Each structure stands twice: as C-alpha cells, then as structure tokens.
C-alpha cells in the first residue's frame, strides 16, 4: 500500500498552516500493526516532513518523516500502514492526555 497517495497528499495543509488553530484537524492516521504506535498527521511540508500527534510509549506533538515510516519493518517484516477508513478529526478527540 502506498502510504501517501497523491489525492491525500493534496489535501494536507502546509507546515504551520494550523499553528494558530485551537484544535487542529488530523487528516491521516498511520499505525504499526505490531504495536500500539500511531502517527496522526495535521500538516505536511509537501516532501517528507509531517507534523502531528505521535502516540507510542508517550504521547507528544512533533515532527516525523514519511521516509522513515515507509522504510520501517517490524520483527515480522510488516511495515507501517495507513488507516483507510480514517476521516478528518479534530486533534482534541484523539488525545489520550488532555492538557
């Protein structure tokens, strides 16, 4: 599966486009089927760099790269996948930790 097809890539806001929003919209969900790690994308630089919510051992907002997600292979040889049924969702609805 292509992690970021052209039609989805075109929908993503540029980096910092939602920086002034009180509740940014998440457009894409990536996940590791072998663990609890999930990456939620709110913005994209158009090339490789995402900004969004990462839920793993901890939960944090930060940057992550498309190339690293594409290259990853877990112990079973399975890579990161995109949730094909994910709909754009306010970030506040996805946070485990409320500040």
């Amino acid at each position: 599966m292509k992690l970021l097809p052209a039609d989805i890539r075109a929908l993503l806001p540029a980096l910092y486009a939602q920086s002034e929003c009180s509740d940014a919209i998440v457009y894409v969900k990536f996940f590791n089927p072998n663990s609890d790690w999930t990456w939620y994308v709110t913005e994209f630089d158009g090339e490789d760099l995402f900004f969004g919510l990462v839920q793993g051992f901890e939960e944090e907002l930060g940057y992550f790269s498309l190339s690293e997600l594409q290259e990853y292979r877990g112990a079973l040889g399975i890579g990161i996948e995109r949730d094909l049924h994910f709909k754009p969702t306010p970030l506040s609805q996805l946070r485990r930790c409320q500040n």
Side-chain angles (χ1 to χ4, degrees):
M1 167 202 329
K2 189 167 185 175
L3 282 183
L4 195 62
D7 60 331
I8 294 175
R9 182 183 290 254
L11 295 174
L12 295 175
L15 281 183
Y16 315 112
Q18 297 192 77
S19 62
E20 299 298 319
C21 295
S22 61
D23 197 8
I25 300 299
V26 173
Y27 290 90
V28 181
K29 174 187 175 183
F30 298 115
F31 65 96
N32 183 340
N34 295 311
S35 76
D36 292 335
W37 282 79
T38 306
W39 298 262
Y40 294 101
V41 177
T42 60
E43 300 168 349
F44 183 51
D45 75 352
E47 293 180 31
D48 188 56
L49 192 63
F50 294 117
F51 183 80
L53 179 67
V54 180
Q55 293 175 332
F57 297 120
E58 296 182 13
E59 178 178 84
E60 64 183 330
L61 291 170
Y63 297 91
F64 49 98
S65 77
L66 175 60
S67 59
E68 288 180 349
L69 294 177
Q70 289 173 326
E71 292 169 7
Y72 176 83
R73 292 292 174 266
L76 300 174
I78 299 172
I80 303 303
E81 297 184 12
R82 178 174 40 87
D83 183 339
L84 301 177
H85 304 288
F86 185 81
K87 303 285 186 225
T89 304
L91 184 63
S92 63
Q93 293 182 20
L94 301 169
R95 306 251 354 215
R96 292 188 295 218
C97 305
Q98 298 297 321
N99 295 338

